[in-house]
Amino acid sequence: NFFWSSRPANLLLVGGVLALAISSVLASVWPEGTTSGVPVSGLAMGGTHSLWPLWVWIYCLIWWVIQDFAKVGTYWLLDRYNIFGYRTQAVGLAFSHERVPISAKAESERIAAHAVRDVSHSKRLEALAEHHHRTTQRMRNEEFEIDAIGDDIHVSFPDGEDEQPATIVVDKHQTEESLV
């Protein structure tokens, strides 16, 4: 997306404008002197070039727009030709070294396979949520003991039933849910 397609958060906008304003003023009116033996002076100080700050801003804005077009073009190429597996990794499919466009049929088959996998994950997540809800309700209404052994947490209730709250283990390549 181009930079103008979404508005930044208010805090980021205010912080950015404030930082740019302060740095522009400082760069423009910095007094003459030396820093580590190097002579320095503000862009608008002394001489006939008092419009240097304006030219620097114009230069920066032109390159900002050029870079944004390059960014959008790069993302388009990555997506169009699946370079570095950009598209297939984004939807959780196997890494592909293909650098040619993927046919529409093959792509729809891959997406359908992914959708089936999503449904099974969804059902497991619903079961996890239900198990967590039941255990939480019991913990609110009854006395219980908690034992932590390694990464496992066991909740014991007075009636002798033991519950192990559902855990979700996140790996960088996959998500695994267990009800153990």
Side-chain angles (χ1 to χ4, degrees):
N1 294 336
F2 288 100
F3 71 89
W4 61 77
S5 60
S6 64
R7 183 179 183 275
N10 289 335
L11 186 60
L12 178 63
L13 184 63
V14 169
V17 168
L18 189 63
L20 289 171
I22 291 171
S23 64
S24 294
V25 168
L26 287 175
S28 297
V29 298
W30 197 262
E32 286 192 39
T34 60
T35 302
S36 299
V38 177
V40 295
S41 71
L43 292 173
M45 300 301 288
T48 59
H49 302 295
S50 62
L51 292 179
W52 269 108
L54 175 66
W55 295 118
V56 169
W57 266 100
I58 291 171
Y59 175 85
C60 290
L61 290 173
I62 288 170
W63 277 104
W64 181 27
V65 171
I66 291 170
Q67 286 178 333
D68 202 54
F69 275 96
K71 173 196 71 175
V72 170
T74 300
Y75 279 120
W76 179 84
L77 285 172
L78 287 170
D79 189 56
R80 174 79 169 101
Y81 296 102
N82 198 29
I83 298 172
F84 306 120
Y86 174 80
R87 186 176 344 122
T88 52
Q89 283 184 341
V91 294
L93 301 172
F95 185 81
S96 170
H97 292 286
E98 298 175 40
R99 292 191 181 211
V100 295
I102 297 174
S103 73
K105 182 180 179 186
E107 185 67 10
S108 62
E109 288 172 356
R110 289 178 183 174
I111 291 172
H114 186 67
V116 168
R117 190 171 63 218
D118 278 350
V119 169
S120 65
H121 281 291
S122 177
K123 287 180 181 177
R124 284 190 293 204
L125 286 173
E126 286 174 13
L128 283 169
E130 177 59 32
H131 178 77
H132 177 72
H133 179 72
R134 274 196 324 268
T135 303
T136 304
Q137 289 301 324
R138 287 194 70 189
M139 291 170 74
R140 285 185 184 143
N141 298 326
E142 302 176 29
E143 291 183 18
F144 59 90
E145 292 180 15
I146 297 178
D147 294 318
I149 303 171
D151 291 337
D152 294 333
I153 297 174
H154 296 276
V155 180
S156 303
F157 293 99
D159 61 7
E161 279 189 48
D162 287 347
E163 297 261 354
Q164 181 177 357
T167 58
I168 298 176
V169 179
V170 178
D171 184 19
K172 67 180 179 180
H173 298 294
Q174 66 182 17
T175 301
E176 175 186 317
E177 303 86 15
S178 63
L179 291 172
V180 181

